[in-house]
Amino acid sequence: PMTLDGQLSEPVWAAASWYSNFRRIELDLQTPEALVQTRFAVVHDATLVYVGVVCDEPNLAGLKAATPWRDGAVWSDDCIEVFFDPGGEGRYYHQVMVNPIGTIYDSHSADYGLVHSRLWDGAFRAAGHVDEERQQWSVELEIPLGALVLPRDSGAVWRWNVARERHAGGEAVELSSWAPMQDSFHQPLLFGTMEAMPSAYDAFRFDLGEPAVGIRRQASGRMAIGLTWPITNATGADVRLRADTQLVG
């Protein structure tokens, strides 16, 4: 079993394939290699994907981790960002940020990164850990397959990228990435791929129709808002769903 503590001490991490060679995303750099390196590994079972990320940091005293609440300004801290599309195309993809204390920001994007839904929340869990002796900080991220927006063509090859925002290096934020980005992390057509990912998604399959919103005036004079959202259970089993709604504005 995985203990989500950010320390990556389970034997499965030692046996995993690790990826590194992060590069800065600014254009026209003479030395595009990241000033300090980041590495990550991915492991999974039939229902959960785990991402382990280790960030070298020679200036841990300058490490920034000031955001403790979910969906706060995690990008203003030192953080890692995981981007993935189980459909393998990049038109729709998930983004999960995690800072050194395990705070999460997540979103779902469409139209190849032109549209971002910050109100979308996935049931992700994460933990961070700072190792002063090794001069590094690390993150463990848990991704439940049941929390994802799964296109019909989802398979075992995901579009994938891991990126890092480093504030501890000084005034200028260092942006680095595993896949070769160009001035922005939101370029899904430039993402790499992660193979041998889970491929049996039927147990998590729900088809969502177009939502419809109706507004009417009640006899009391108050306005009532009704939301209808067709959901088709394509899992082949009886499933209980819980829906949370939020009115903003």
Side-chain angles (χ1 to χ4, degrees):
M2 189 76 71
T3 300
L4 209 66
D5 56 12
Q7 299 189 40
L8 306 171
S9 56
E10 291 83 4
V12 66
W13 292 119
S17 297
W18 286 81
Y19 304 85
S20 188
N21 298 319
F22 276 51
R23 299 167 70 88
R24 289 180 285 171
I25 69 172
E26 294 88 349
L27 298 176
D28 301 324
L29 291 174
Q30 292 184 349
T31 55
E33 292 79 11
L35 300 179
V36 294
Q37 269 302 319
T38 308
R39 52 199 176 275
F40 70 91
V42 182
V43 298
H44 66 82
D45 58 24
T47 61
L48 297 166
V49 174
Y50 290 96
V51 186
V53 186
V54 178
C55 302
D56 294 335
E57 183 48 70
N59 182 31
L60 285 177
L63 195 68
K64 187 176 180 183
T67 307
W69 54 87
R70 176 69 179 256
D71 285 340
V74 175
W75 57 87
S76 66
D77 293 337
D78 283 87
C79 65
I80 59 96
E81 304 189 28
V82 182
F83 299 84
F84 54 93
D85 170 23
E89 180 188 5
R91 181 177 180 182
Y92 304 98
Y93 62 91
H94 302 77
Q95 174 192 17
V96 187
M97 298 182 190
V98 186
N99 68 7
I101 58 175
T103 305
I104 289 175
Y105 168 92
D106 60 354
S107 69
H108 184 260
S109 297
D111 293 338
Y112 300 98
L114 296 177
V115 179
H116 308 290
S117 175
R118 294 185 176 184
L119 295 179
W120 184 88
D121 275 327
F124 306 118
R125 297 195 306 142
H129 176 73
V130 177
D131 190 327
E132 295 185 1
E133 181 177 352
R134 296 183 178 180
Q135 290 194 305
Q136 63 188 31
W137 62 277
S138 54
V139 160
E140 282 177 312
L141 170 64
E142 180 185 84
I143 302 172
L145 296 180
L148 304 184
V149 179
L150 293 168
R152 271 289 171 187
D153 54 356
S154 297
V157 180
W158 292 16
R159 277 200 181 262
W160 183 273
N161 194 29
V162 176
R164 176 180 176 184
E165 296 192 37
R166 180 178 179 239
H167 293 259
E171 292 184 4
V173 179
E174 181 184 351
L175 305 177
S176 61
S177 169
W178 174 63
M181 300 288 101
Q182 298 177 356
D183 275 339
S184 171
F185 291 151
H186 287 279
Q187 296 176 307
L189 294 180
L190 297 181
F191 290 174
T193 57
M194 187 59 58
E195 300 183 357
M197 297 296 281
S199 58
Y201 299 115
D202 285 348
F204 314 104
R205 186 83 66 188
F206 292 90
D207 294 331
L208 301 181
E210 289 293 327
V213 178
I215 302 177
R216 62 182 179 85
R217 185 180 297 276
Q218 297 177 319
S220 64
R222 295 182 178 181
M223 302 301 292
I225 299 177
L227 172 64
T228 303
W229 198 339
I231 302 176
T232 302
N233 178 6
T235 66
D238 292 335
V239 178
R240 174 180 290 183
L241 296 179
R242 188 188 75 181
D244 296 324
T245 58
Q246 182 178 10
L247 183 63
V248 179

